[in-house]
Structure formats: C-alpha cells, structure tokens
Amino acid sequence: MIPIDDNIHSWQKPIINYWLVGINLVIFLWEVKLNWSDELGNLINNWGIIPEQINIAIANAFFDNSAAWVVVFWRLLSLLVSLFLHGSFSQILGNMLFLWVFGKTVESILGHKQYLLLYLTAGFFCGIVQIILSSDITVPIIGANGAIAAILGAYIIKFPQAKIYSVLTLLVLYIPVEIPAIFYLFWWFVQQSFYGIGSLNIVGGRSFSSVSYWGQFAALVTGATFMRIRQRL
C-alpha cells in the first residue's frame, strides 16, 4: 500500500514540509556518495543515536570525569542530526512518502513555525525515550521515524475520518483505492519491519537500526497531544 495524497484541501503552501523532504533527500544522496567511498560508517557512528554509549557518557560525567560532559553534549546533538540520516532506500522512501502525504496537511493546520517545532521536538523526544528504555542498544539509531510518527499522530487527531488516496501494488498491477487515515496509523508501524531493504553498506560501522518502537510510540502520543492542545486554544 502506497499513500499518494489525502482528501483534505490545504490552502497554505507547506513550505517547511518541502524543505524537510528536500533536505532529507539531499543528505541521503550525500550518504550514497559516502557509501561509494567507504566513508559512511564514520558518519553513522558519529551522529547516530547509540543509547549504550550515551548512557555510559552520562554516568562518567556525573560520577567520574567532568570532561565527559563534552561527549554528552556532542552525543545529544546526535538526537537532532540523526533525524536527517537514513540507512536504506526503503527507509528514506517510506519516511518521505509519509511525510509528503501527511505533513503538508498538518503544516496547513499548525502553521510553519509550530509544524517545524513539532517535527524537531518529537524527533528529539523519541531519541530521549529510546536512550532511557533501550539503554543496552549498541548500534546507531537513525531516521526521521519518530518525527513522522508525531506528524501522523497529529493528523489522526485532527482528521480521524480522512480518506487517503492509495495505490495497491499487485505484481505489475496498480489498483487505486481510498483507505481511512486511521488504518495508516497501524500500517506505519508494520512497515518498519521492511526498512532494512536496500540498506547502504556501512563499512566500518556496526550496522544501524531504524526501528525504535517505544520512542516512536512516545512521539506519536506527543503529536496527538500537541494537536489536541492546539484545538483547545
């Protein structure tokens, strides 16, 4: 199932959404270039979220070595930078497709500034939750999954009855259908299982992870809560 549009008319141009999609795609093309020169592993390991490493750095900063705060600060920056890194073609295409379809409508409701705030804050919060609840993960977690989960949560709260124009692919046959938006809340988490398809060859790295279910669930709730509060103001 491929979402291609919704039945909600947007009066405002989703400028921020255009920029977010564009920046993510450009950075991924840069990653592909680094992949050819075997330099991608350094980028992913330096700027991906590695929960075990961050927790160790925090522990050292509090109890052993105050200089470790430099490492903590550097690693916390990865909570934002990792939002714009993707490790496979399926991950970047899936994320950007969902962002394109659902993000433009949410931006038209929230406005440019609040939309960008929700995107970045939810992505950051997703990483914090993952660091706390999955402290033993040793591979980098990358991708805009958490931010997009928040956008999806906000969308479902505002437009629970919306219809999503979708395409069902059946071998070479493409069938256009309308699917309730609430269904994509479920499908979003299911498709995470396929994000390893078309993975880049991260030489010198320790693979990567795009799946952070607890963090994404927290981001989803964040987006839904943000939209609920916005509606009451």
Side-chain angles (χ1 to χ4, degrees), residues 27-170:
I27 289 178
F28 185 75
L29 291 176
W30 179 48
E31 289 182 65
V32 172
K33 179 178 180 297
L34 292 178
N35 185 59
W36 290 339
S37 58
D38 295 338
E39 298 175 14
L40 181 59
N42 291 331
L43 176 69
I44 299 300
N45 282 308
N46 286 335
W47 293 109
I49 301 171
I50 307 177
E52 183 187 62
Q53 192 175 97
I54 294 175
N55 279 292
I56 291 174
I58 292 174
N60 288 336
F62 271 113
F63 301 110
D64 295 319
N65 183 6
S66 58
W69 283 112
V70 176
V71 178
V72 173
F73 176 75
W74 168 45
R75 276 303 177 184
L76 288 180
L77 283 177
S78 68
L79 293 173
L80 291 178
V81 177
S82 63
L83 287 175
F84 298 93
L85 299 175
H86 293 81
S88 69
F89 286 94
S90 56
Q91 186 187 19
I92 185 68
L93 291 176
N95 279 354
M96 293 306 100
L97 189 59
F98 267 72
L99 183 60
W100 180 265
V101 173
F102 295 97
K104 62 180 177 59
T105 304
V106 173
E107 183 178 351
S108 70
I109 299 300
L110 296 180
H112 306 313
K113 293 180 180 179
Q114 289 190 20
Y115 177 72
L116 181 60
L117 176 65
L118 174 62
Y119 185 92
L120 296 177
T121 301
F124 189 91
F125 182 56
C126 174
I128 291 292
V129 171
Q130 199 62 32
I131 290 169
I132 295 173
L133 297 183
S134 302
S135 59
D136 58 339
I137 291 182
T138 59
V139 297
I141 300 174
I142 57 176
N145 305 33
I148 297 171
I151 301 303
L152 187 57
Y155 186 99
I156 296 300
I157 289 296
K158 183 64 178 178
F159 304 108
Q161 303 301 323
K163 294 294 190 295
I164 308 301
Y165 302 127
S166 309
V167 173
L168 299 181
T169 58
L170 208 54

Side-chain angles (χ1 to χ4, degrees), residues 5 7 162-168 175-181 184:
D5 203 354
N7 64 343
K163 294 294 190 295
I164 308 301
Y165 302 127
S166 309
V167 173
L168 299 181
I175 306 174
V177 294
E178 290 185 7
I179 297 177
Y184 274 99

